[in-house]
Amino acid sequence: MSKGKVVVLGSNATRIETRGGYWGATGQYLNETVVPAMALIDAGYEVVMATPDGTPPTIDKASDAPAHFGGDVAAYQRAKDFYANDPSMKGRTLASILEGIAGYDGVFIPGGQAPIVDLMQDQQVGEILRHFHAHQKPTAMLCHGPISAIAALPYAREFRAALIAGDPDKAEDWAKGWQYAGYRMTVFEKAEEQVIEDTILHAKIYFDMPFALGLAGAVVDTGPDFEPYVIEDRELITGQNPRSDHPIAKALVAALDRKVGHA
């Protein structure tokens, strides 16, 4: 019998705007999606993947390698098999989650740069996050995943548009009323982002994650580049980078166990 149910909010984005009017290929990171999902299932929780259009996320090619599993080829293959074949990863719409949202005990949002494109400005993501905040249900976000917290803003789309337009003052005006203002959180750090821009995108994105979250009212704290780092503040659990996959999984399972009475 399941201990409870956790929704994984995935992105459908496959490209991201970059400076100069270009687009770069993007997606969701394999390890960031699968490692926590498998940990949740192993701990006795039911996992449900949901995306804006109901189809599974595209895995970012940059993450499709054993290097993101500590060089463990067997672990990498298990992850690929899980993502391709496990029923939990098949995907359903965000609207279907909202219809039965009271039945979900936790939410997890993995990274890759894809959430910058769609999840951070998706109104249904905002509705989901407002529910979890109001009921203090465990809410975990990894790497670029924490930028999805912006969706809970009343004017998330306008906030994002102002950032892309290079108008932080206007963005700050649009950020009023954010439910996570004053929360401590971590996210993919600017120096880490630069590595991705230089070696994978070969272009610059319009804004960095700590700046955006700080502008909205978060207290952003980051650890050493590409080292595991997780912060818990009230119901919110955030991890800084891909290597934080196992620590955030452990923290989320523990928070769920406390919340649903299985500690």
Side-chain angles (χ1 to χ4, degrees):
M1 183 175 177
S2 170
K3 288 182 180 179
K5 193 155 59 170
V6 179
V7 59
V8 176
L9 299 185
S11 169
N12 291 128
T14 58
R15 60 181 196 155
I16 185 170
E17 310 101 314
T18 63
R19 293 183 181 275
Y22 300 101
W23 291 82
T26 195
Q28 193 164 293
Y29 262 44
L30 177 64
N31 70 301
E32 296 180 24
T33 305
V34 169
V35 168
M38 293 176 74
L40 287 164
I41 291 170
D42 287 346
Y45 290 94
E46 179 185 351
V47 170
V48 175
M49 170 73 77
T51 64
D53 71 12
T55 63
T58 296
I59 294 299
D60 193 318
K61 291 180 181 178
S63 73
D64 194 358
H68 289 285
F69 297 85
D72 186 334
V73 175
Y76 164 64
Q77 288 297 338
R78 282 195 301 272
K80 283 180 70 72
D81 290 344
F82 177 88
Y83 189 75
N85 300 310
D86 195 87
S88 67
M89 297 288 101
K90 295 307 178 188
R92 63 181 68 179
T93 63
L94 299 178
S96 73
I97 302 302
L98 283 166
E99 288 172 3
I101 196 165
Y104 288 88
D105 300 289
V107 60
F108 171 62
I109 308 179
Q113 291 177 317
I116 304 170
V117 181
D118 56 0
L119 299 191
M120 78 172 286
Q121 59 179 336
D122 190 287
Q123 292 180 335
Q124 291 180 318
V125 171
E127 288 183 61
I128 291 168
L129 293 178
R130 284 190 288 274
H131 168 85
F132 280 86
H133 173 72
H135 296 276
Q136 292 292 288
K137 296 180 181 181
T139 301
M141 307 176 185
L142 178 57
C143 196
H144 290 84
I147 200 64
S148 305
I150 294 297
L153 281 172
Y155 297 99
R157 292 177 182 174
E158 292 83 353
F159 177 86
R160 184 181 186 277
L163 285 175
I164 289 178
D167 191 344
D169 292 336
K170 189 64 175 176
E172 196 167 17
D173 287 342
W174 289 120
K176 292 179 174 62
W178 194 39
Q179 66 188 26
Y180 299 114
Y183 274 64
R184 285 185 67 242
M185 61 179 72
T186 192
V187 69
F188 203 59
E189 207 266 327
K190 184 176 182 179
E192 295 172 320
E193 196 82 72
Q194 186 173 342
V195 174
I196 304 302
E197 291 172 329
D198 292 348
T199 63
I200 296 173
L201 275 182
H202 305 290
K204 299 292 183 184
I205 62 174
Y206 277 96
F207 55 89
D208 66 80
M209 305 307 103
F211 175 75
L213 290 173
L215 201 63
V219 180
V220 181
D221 181 13
T222 54
D225 293 349
F226 296 107
E227 293 296 328
Y229 192 60
V230 171
I231 289 177
E232 294 188 57
D233 187 348
R234 287 158 278 189
E235 85 277 11
L236 187 64
I237 307 165
T238 50
Q240 181 174 322
N241 49 39
R243 289 194 63 199
S244 304
D245 54 357
H246 287 281
I248 201 171
K250 183 178 179 180
L252 177 55
V253 168
L256 284 162
D257 284 349
R258 291 193 300 271
K259 183 69 174 180
V260 301
H262 293 285

Short mmCIF file of all heavy atoms in Angstrom, two decimals, residues 6-62:
data_model
loop_
_atom_site.label_atom_id
_atom_site.label_comp_id
_atom_site.label_asym_id
_atom_site.label_seq_id
_atom_site.Cartn_x
_atom_site.Cartn_y
_atom_site.Cartn_z
N VAL A 6 3.03 11.64 -4.88
CA VAL A 6 3.87 12.81 -5.18
C VAL A 6 3.79 13.11 -6.66
O VAL A 6 3.94 12.20 -7.50
CB VAL A 6 5.33 12.55 -4.78
CG1 VAL A 6 6.21 13.76 -5.13
CG2 VAL A 6 5.45 12.22 -3.29
N VAL A 7 3.57 14.36 -7.01
CA VAL A 7 3.57 14.76 -8.42
C VAL A 7 4.93 15.35 -8.78
O VAL A 7 5.49 16.16 -8.03
CB VAL A 7 2.43 15.76 -8.74
CG1 VAL A 7 2.52 17.04 -7.91
CG2 VAL A 7 2.41 16.08 -10.23
N VAL A 8 5.47 14.90 -9.89
CA VAL A 8 6.70 15.47 -10.46
C VAL A 8 6.27 16.40 -11.59
O VAL A 8 5.62 15.95 -12.55
CB VAL A 8 7.64 14.38 -11.00
CG1 VAL A 8 8.86 15.00 -11.67
CG2 VAL A 8 8.07 13.45 -9.87
N LEU A 9 6.59 17.68 -11.46
CA LEU A 9 6.22 18.64 -12.50
C LEU A 9 7.35 18.74 -13.52
O LEU A 9 8.45 19.21 -13.20
CB LEU A 9 5.93 20.01 -11.89
CG LEU A 9 4.78 20.08 -10.88
CD1 LEU A 9 4.54 21.51 -10.45
CD2 LEU A 9 3.51 19.46 -11.44
N GLY A 10 7.09 18.29 -14.72
CA GLY A 10 8.09 18.30 -15.78
C GLY A 10 7.83 19.40 -16.78
O GLY A 10 6.72 19.93 -16.89
N SER A 11 8.85 19.72 -17.54
CA SER A 11 8.78 20.76 -18.57
C SER A 11 8.62 20.13 -19.95
O SER A 11 9.12 19.04 -20.21
CB SER A 11 10.06 21.59 -18.54
OG SER A 11 10.14 22.44 -19.67
N ASN A 12 7.94 20.84 -20.83
CA ASN A 12 7.87 20.43 -22.23
C ASN A 12 8.79 21.25 -23.14
O ASN A 12 8.80 21.05 -24.36
CB ASN A 12 6.44 20.54 -22.76
CG ASN A 12 5.49 19.53 -22.15
OD1 ASN A 12 4.43 19.90 -21.64
ND2 ASN A 12 5.85 18.25 -22.20
N ALA A 13 9.57 22.16 -22.56
CA ALA A 13 10.43 23.01 -23.38
C ALA A 13 11.57 22.21 -24.00
O ALA A 13 12.17 21.35 -23.36
CB ALA A 13 11.00 24.14 -22.53
N THR A 14 11.87 22.51 -25.25
CA THR A 14 12.98 21.88 -25.96
C THR A 14 14.00 22.90 -26.47
O THR A 14 15.03 22.53 -27.00
CB THR A 14 12.48 21.06 -27.16
OG1 THR A 14 11.75 21.92 -28.05
CG2 THR A 14 11.57 19.92 -26.69
N ARG A 15 13.69 24.19 -26.28
CA ARG A 15 14.65 25.23 -26.67
C ARG A 15 14.47 26.43 -25.75
O ARG A 15 13.39 26.63 -25.17
CB ARG A 15 14.50 25.63 -28.14
CG ARG A 15 13.14 26.17 -28.51
CD ARG A 15 13.08 26.51 -29.98
NE ARG A 15 11.92 27.36 -30.27
CZ ARG A 15 11.84 28.19 -31.30
NH1 ARG A 15 12.86 28.29 -32.16
NH2 ARG A 15 10.77 28.94 -31.49
N ILE A 16 15.52 27.22 -25.63
CA ILE A 16 15.53 28.36 -24.72
C ILE A 16 16.07 29.61 -25.43
O ILE A 16 17.00 29.52 -26.23
CB ILE A 16 16.37 28.05 -23.45
CG1 ILE A 16 16.27 29.18 -22.43
CG2 ILE A 16 17.82 27.72 -23.79
CD1 ILE A 16 16.88 28.84 -21.07
N GLU A 17 15.47 30.77 -25.14
CA GLU A 17 15.93 32.02 -25.72
C GLU A 17 17.34 32.35 -25.22
O GLU A 17 17.65 32.15 -24.05
CB GLU A 17 15.03 33.20 -25.34
CG GLU A 17 13.54 32.99 -25.58
CD GLU A 17 12.81 32.65 -24.29
OE1 GLU A 17 13.31 31.81 -23.53
OE2 GLU A 17 11.76 33.26 -24.05
N THR A 18 18.18 32.84 -26.10
CA THR A 18 19.49 33.32 -25.71
C THR A 18 19.72 34.71 -26.29
O THR A 18 19.04 35.12 -27.24
CB THR A 18 20.61 32.37 -26.18
OG1 THR A 18 20.63 32.33 -27.61
CG2 THR A 18 20.41 30.97 -25.62
N ARG A 19 20.65 35.42 -25.72
CA ARG A 19 20.92 36.79 -26.15
C ARG A 19 21.33 36.81 -27.62
O ARG A 19 22.04 35.94 -28.10
CB ARG A 19 22.02 37.41 -25.28
CG ARG A 19 21.56 37.62 -23.84
CD ARG A 19 22.62 38.31 -23.00
NE ARG A 19 22.17 38.46 -21.63
CZ ARG A 19 21.42 39.47 -21.17
NH1 ARG A 19 21.04 40.43 -22.01
NH2 ARG A 19 21.06 39.52 -19.90
N GLY A 20 20.87 37.85 -28.30
CA GLY A 20 21.16 37.96 -29.71
C GLY A 20 20.04 37.44 -30.59
O GLY A 20 20.14 37.40 -31.81
N GLY A 21 18.95 36.99 -29.95
CA GLY A 21 17.80 36.52 -30.70
C GLY A 21 17.88 35.08 -31.16
O GLY A 21 17.11 34.65 -32.02
N TYR A 22 18.81 34.31 -30.58
CA TYR A 22 18.96 32.92 -30.96
C TYR A 22 18.23 32.02 -29.97
O TYR A 22 17.82 32.43 -28.90
CB TYR A 22 20.44 32.54 -31.03
CG TYR A 22 21.22 33.37 -32.02
CD1 TYR A 22 22.02 34.43 -31.59
CD2 TYR A 22 21.16 33.10 -33.39
CE1 TYR A 22 22.73 35.20 -32.49
CE2 TYR A 22 21.87 33.86 -34.30
CZ TYR A 22 22.65 34.92 -33.85
OH TYR A 22 23.35 35.68 -34.75
N TRP A 23 18.12 30.74 -30.34
CA TRP A 23 17.54 29.73 -29.47
C TRP A 23 18.53 28.60 -29.32
O TRP A 23 19.20 28.22 -30.28
CB TRP A 23 16.24 29.19 -30.07
CG TRP A 23 15.11 30.18 -30.06
CD1 TRP A 23 14.90 31.17 -30.98
CD2 TRP A 23 14.07 30.29 -29.11
NE1 TRP A 23 13.78 31.89 -30.66
CE2 TRP A 23 13.25 31.37 -29.51
CE3 TRP A 23 13.74 29.58 -27.96
CZ2 TRP A 23 12.12 31.76 -28.80
CZ3 TRP A 23 12.61 29.97 -27.24
CH2 TRP A 23 11.82 31.05 -27.66
N GLY A 24 18.63 28.07 -28.11
CA GLY A 24 19.49 26.92 -27.86
C GLY A 24 18.67 25.71 -27.47
O GLY A 24 17.58 25.84 -26.90
N ALA A 25 19.17 24.54 -27.78
CA ALA A 25 18.48 23.30 -27.40
C ALA A 25 18.51 23.13 -25.88
O ALA A 25 19.51 23.44 -25.23
CB ALA A 25 19.13 22.11 -28.07
N THR A 26 17.42 22.65 -25.33
CA THR A 26 17.35 22.43 -23.89
C THR A 26 16.43 21.25 -23.59
O THR A 26 15.91 20.61 -24.49
CB THR A 26 16.88 23.70 -23.14
OG1 THR A 26 17.16 23.58 -21.75
CG2 THR A 26 15.39 23.97 -23.33
N GLY A 27 16.24 20.98 -22.33
CA GLY A 27 15.39 19.87 -21.90
C GLY A 27 15.51 19.70 -20.41
O GLY A 27 15.99 20.58 -19.69
N GLN A 28 15.09 18.55 -19.95
CA GLN A 28 15.12 18.23 -18.52
C GLN A 28 16.25 17.24 -18.26
O GLN A 28 16.52 16.37 -19.09
CB GLN A 28 13.78 17.61 -18.14
CG GLN A 28 13.53 17.50 -16.67
CD GLN A 28 12.07 17.25 -16.38
OE1 GLN A 28 11.21 18.11 -16.62
NE2 GLN A 28 11.76 16.07 -15.90
N TYR A 29 16.93 17.38 -17.12
CA TYR A 29 18.07 16.51 -16.83
C TYR A 29 17.60 15.13 -16.37
O TYR A 29 16.73 15.02 -15.50
CB TYR A 29 18.97 17.17 -15.79
CG TYR A 29 20.16 17.87 -16.41
CD1 TYR A 29 20.00 18.67 -17.55
CD2 TYR A 29 21.44 17.75 -15.88
CE1 TYR A 29 21.09 19.31 -18.14
CE2 TYR A 29 22.53 18.38 -16.46
CZ TYR A 29 22.35 19.16 -17.59
OH TYR A 29 23.43 19.78 -18.17
N LEU A 30 18.24 14.11 -16.93
CA LEU A 30 17.86 12.73 -16.63
C LEU A 30 18.03 12.40 -15.16
O LEU A 30 17.09 11.92 -14.51
CB LEU A 30 18.69 11.78 -17.50
CG LEU A 30 18.45 10.28 -17.26
CD1 LEU A 30 17.03 9.89 -17.63
CD2 LEU A 30 19.47 9.45 -18.07
N ASN A 31 19.22 12.62 -14.62
CA ASN A 31 19.46 12.23 -13.23
C ASN A 31 18.60 13.02 -12.25
O ASN A 31 18.12 12.49 -11.26
CB ASN A 31 20.95 12.37 -12.86
CG ASN A 31 21.40 13.82 -12.78
OD1 ASN A 31 21.30 14.56 -13.77
ND2 ASN A 31 21.92 14.22 -11.63
N GLU A 32 18.38 14.28 -12.56
CA GLU A 32 17.59 15.12 -11.66
C GLU A 32 16.12 14.67 -11.60
O GLU A 32 15.44 14.87 -10.60
CB GLU A 32 17.65 16.58 -12.10
CG GLU A 32 19.05 17.18 -12.01
CD GLU A 32 19.07 18.63 -12.44
OE1 GLU A 32 18.02 19.29 -12.37
OE2 GLU A 32 20.14 19.10 -12.86
N THR A 33 15.67 14.07 -12.68
CA THR A 33 14.30 13.55 -12.74
C THR A 33 14.19 12.18 -12.11
O THR A 33 13.31 11.92 -11.28
CB THR A 33 13.84 13.48 -14.21
OG1 THR A 33 14.00 14.76 -14.83
CG2 THR A 33 12.40 13.02 -14.30
N VAL A 34 15.10 11.31 -12.49
CA VAL A 34 14.97 9.89 -12.15
C VAL A 34 15.46 9.54 -10.75
O VAL A 34 14.82 8.75 -10.05
CB VAL A 34 15.71 9.06 -13.22
CG1 VAL A 34 15.85 7.62 -12.79
CG2 VAL A 34 14.98 9.14 -14.55
N VAL A 35 16.57 10.11 -10.31
CA VAL A 35 17.11 9.74 -9.00
C VAL A 35 16.09 10.03 -7.88
O VAL A 35 15.79 9.14 -7.07
CB VAL A 35 18.46 10.43 -8.73
CG1 VAL A 35 18.87 10.29 -7.27
CG2 VAL A 35 19.54 9.84 -9.64
N PRO A 36 15.51 11.23 -7.80
CA PRO A 36 14.50 11.45 -6.76
C PRO A 36 13.24 10.62 -6.97
O PRO A 36 12.65 10.13 -6.01
CB PRO A 36 14.20 12.95 -6.86
CG PRO A 36 15.45 13.54 -7.44
CD PRO A 36 15.90 12.51 -8.44
N ALA A 37 12.81 10.44 -8.23
CA ALA A 37 11.60 9.65 -8.48
C ALA A 37 11.78 8.21 -8.01
O ALA A 37 10.90 7.63 -7.36
CB ALA A 37 11.24 9.68 -9.96
N MET A 38 12.94 7.62 -8.33
CA MET A 38 13.20 6.24 -7.90
C MET A 38 13.30 6.14 -6.38
O MET A 38 12.82 5.18 -5.78
CB MET A 38 14.47 5.72 -8.56
CG MET A 38 14.34 5.55 -10.06
SD MET A 38 15.88 5.05 -10.87
CE MET A 38 15.99 3.33 -10.36
N ALA A 39 13.89 7.15 -5.75
CA ALA A 39 14.00 7.16 -4.28
C ALA A 39 12.63 7.23 -3.63
O ALA A 39 12.36 6.57 -2.62
CB ALA A 39 14.87 8.33 -3.83
N LEU A 40 11.75 8.04 -4.21
CA LEU A 40 10.39 8.15 -3.68
C LEU A 40 9.65 6.82 -3.78
O LEU A 40 8.98 6.38 -2.84
CB LEU A 40 9.62 9.24 -4.44
CG LEU A 40 10.02 10.68 -4.12
CD1 LEU A 40 9.49 11.62 -5.20
CD2 LEU A 40 9.50 11.10 -2.75
N ILE A 41 9.78 6.17 -4.92
CA ILE A 41 9.12 4.88 -5.11
C ILE A 41 9.70 3.83 -4.16
O ILE A 41 8.96 3.06 -3.54
CB ILE A 41 9.23 4.45 -6.58
CG1 ILE A 41 8.37 5.37 -7.45
CG2 ILE A 41 8.80 2.99 -6.75
CD1 ILE A 41 8.57 5.20 -8.94
N ASP A 42 11.02 3.82 -4.03
CA ASP A 42 11.66 2.87 -3.11
C ASP A 42 11.20 3.10 -1.67
O ASP A 42 11.16 2.15 -0.87
CB ASP A 42 13.19 3.01 -3.19
CG ASP A 42 13.76 2.43 -4.47
OD1 ASP A 42 13.03 1.70 -5.18
OD2 ASP A 42 14.93 2.72 -4.78
N ALA A 43 10.86 4.36 -1.34
CA ALA A 43 10.42 4.69 0.02
C ALA A 43 8.93 4.42 0.23
O ALA A 43 8.42 4.63 1.33
CB ALA A 43 10.72 6.15 0.33
N GLY A 44 8.24 3.98 -0.82
CA GLY A 44 6.85 3.61 -0.66
C GLY A 44 5.83 4.61 -1.17
O GLY A 44 4.63 4.48 -0.89
N TYR A 45 6.29 5.62 -1.94
CA TYR A 45 5.39 6.64 -2.45
C TYR A 45 5.05 6.38 -3.92
O TYR A 45 5.88 5.88 -4.68
CB TYR A 45 6.00 8.03 -2.29
CG TYR A 45 6.06 8.45 -0.85
CD1 TYR A 45 7.21 8.24 -0.09
CD2 TYR A 45 4.96 9.03 -0.22
CE1 TYR A 45 7.26 8.57 1.26
CE2 TYR A 45 5.00 9.38 1.13
CZ TYR A 45 6.14 9.16 1.85
OH TYR A 45 6.18 9.50 3.18
N GLU A 46 3.84 6.74 -4.29
CA GLU A 46 3.43 6.70 -5.69
C GLU A 46 3.88 7.99 -6.36
O GLU A 46 3.73 9.07 -5.80
CB GLU A 46 1.91 6.57 -5.80
CG GLU A 46 1.39 6.55 -7.22
CD GLU A 46 -0.13 6.54 -7.30
OE1 GLU A 46 -0.79 6.37 -6.24
OE2 GLU A 46 -0.65 6.71 -8.41
N VAL A 47 4.44 7.89 -7.55
CA VAL A 47 4.94 9.04 -8.28
C VAL A 47 4.16 9.21 -9.57
O VAL A 47 3.90 8.24 -10.29
CB VAL A 47 6.45 8.89 -8.60
CG1 VAL A 47 6.93 9.96 -9.56
CG2 VAL A 47 7.26 8.94 -7.30
N VAL A 48 3.78 10.47 -9.86
CA VAL A 48 3.03 10.80 -11.06
C VAL A 48 3.72 11.96 -11.77
O VAL A 48 3.94 13.01 -11.17
CB VAL A 48 1.58 11.20 -10.71
CG1 VAL A 48 0.83 11.66 -11.96
CG2 VAL A 48 0.85 10.05 -10.04
N MET A 49 4.09 11.77 -13.03
CA MET A 49 4.68 12.84 -13.83
C MET A 49 3.58 13.66 -14.49
O MET A 49 2.63 13.10 -15.06
CB MET A 49 5.59 12.24 -14.91
CG MET A 49 6.07 13.23 -15.96
SD MET A 49 7.32 14.39 -15.33
CE MET A 49 8.76 13.30 -15.34
N ALA A 50 3.71 14.98 -14.45
CA ALA A 50 2.75 15.85 -15.12
C ALA A 50 3.49 16.99 -15.81
O ALA A 50 4.48 17.51 -15.28
CB ALA A 50 1.74 16.41 -14.13
N THR A 51 3.03 17.36 -16.98
CA THR A 51 3.63 18.45 -17.76
C THR A 51 2.53 19.33 -18.32
O THR A 51 1.35 18.94 -18.34
CB THR A 51 4.48 17.91 -18.93
OG1 THR A 51 3.60 17.22 -19.85
CG2 THR A 51 5.56 16.95 -18.44
N PRO A 52 2.88 20.52 -18.82
CA PRO A 52 1.84 21.40 -19.37
C PRO A 52 0.99 20.75 -20.46
O PRO A 52 -0.24 20.92 -20.46
CB PRO A 52 2.65 22.58 -19.91
CG PRO A 52 3.83 22.66 -18.98
CD PRO A 52 4.18 21.22 -18.71
N ASP A 53 1.61 20.00 -21.38
CA ASP A 53 0.80 19.41 -22.45
C ASP A 53 0.52 17.92 -22.26
O ASP A 53 -0.11 17.28 -23.10
CB ASP A 53 1.41 19.68 -23.83
CG ASP A 53 2.69 18.89 -24.10
OD1 ASP A 53 3.02 17.96 -23.35
OD2 ASP A 53 3.38 19.22 -25.10
N GLY A 54 0.99 17.36 -21.15
CA GLY A 54 0.68 15.97 -20.84
C GLY A 54 1.63 14.94 -21.43
O GLY A 54 1.49 13.75 -21.16
N THR A 55 2.60 15.37 -22.23
CA THR A 55 3.59 14.45 -22.78
C THR A 55 4.85 14.46 -21.92
O THR A 55 5.17 15.49 -21.30
CB THR A 55 3.95 14.80 -24.23
OG1 THR A 55 4.56 16.10 -24.27
CG2 THR A 55 2.73 14.79 -25.12
N PRO A 56 5.60 13.37 -21.86
CA PRO A 56 6.82 13.35 -21.04
C PRO A 56 7.83 14.40 -21.50
O PRO A 56 7.89 14.74 -22.68
CB PRO A 56 7.36 11.93 -21.26
CG PRO A 56 6.19 11.12 -21.68
CD PRO A 56 5.33 12.06 -22.48
N PRO A 57 8.63 14.91 -20.57
CA PRO A 57 9.66 15.88 -20.94
C PRO A 57 10.70 15.29 -21.89
O PRO A 57 10.93 14.08 -21.91
CB PRO A 57 10.32 16.23 -19.59
CG PRO A 57 9.34 15.82 -18.56
CD PRO A 57 8.61 14.64 -19.13
N THR A 58 11.32 16.16 -22.66
CA THR A 58 12.48 15.77 -23.47
C THR A 58 13.72 15.82 -22.59
O THR A 58 13.95 16.81 -21.88
CB THR A 58 12.66 16.73 -24.66
OG1 THR A 58 11.52 16.61 -25.52
CG2 THR A 58 13.92 16.42 -25.45
N ILE A 59 14.50 14.77 -22.60
CA ILE A 59 15.72 14.73 -21.79
C ILE A 59 16.82 15.51 -22.49
O ILE A 59 17.09 15.30 -23.69
CB ILE A 59 16.17 13.28 -21.53
CG1 ILE A 59 15.14 12.56 -20.66
CG2 ILE A 59 17.55 13.24 -20.88
CD1 ILE A 59 14.92 13.15 -19.28
N ASP A 60 17.43 16.44 -21.77
CA ASP A 60 18.54 17.22 -22.30
C ASP A 60 19.71 16.29 -22.64
O ASP A 60 20.14 15.50 -21.79
CB ASP A 60 18.98 18.26 -21.26
CG ASP A 60 19.90 19.33 -21.82
OD1 ASP A 60 20.80 18.98 -22.62
OD2 ASP A 60 19.73 20.50 -21.45
N LYS A 61 20.20 16.38 -23.86
CA LYS A 61 21.30 15.51 -24.29
C LYS A 61 22.53 15.65 -23.40
O LYS A 61 23.29 14.70 -23.22
CB LYS A 61 21.66 15.79 -25.75
CG LYS A 61 20.60 15.38 -26.74
CD LYS A 61 21.02 15.69 -28.18
CE LYS A 61 19.93 15.28 -29.16
NZ LYS A 61 20.33 15.62 -30.56
N ALA A 62 22.71 16.85 -22.84
CA ALA A 62 23.88 17.08 -21.99
C ALA A 62 23.84 16.24 -20.73
O ALA A 62 24.87 16.00 -20.09
CB ALA A 62 23.97 18.56 -21.62
#
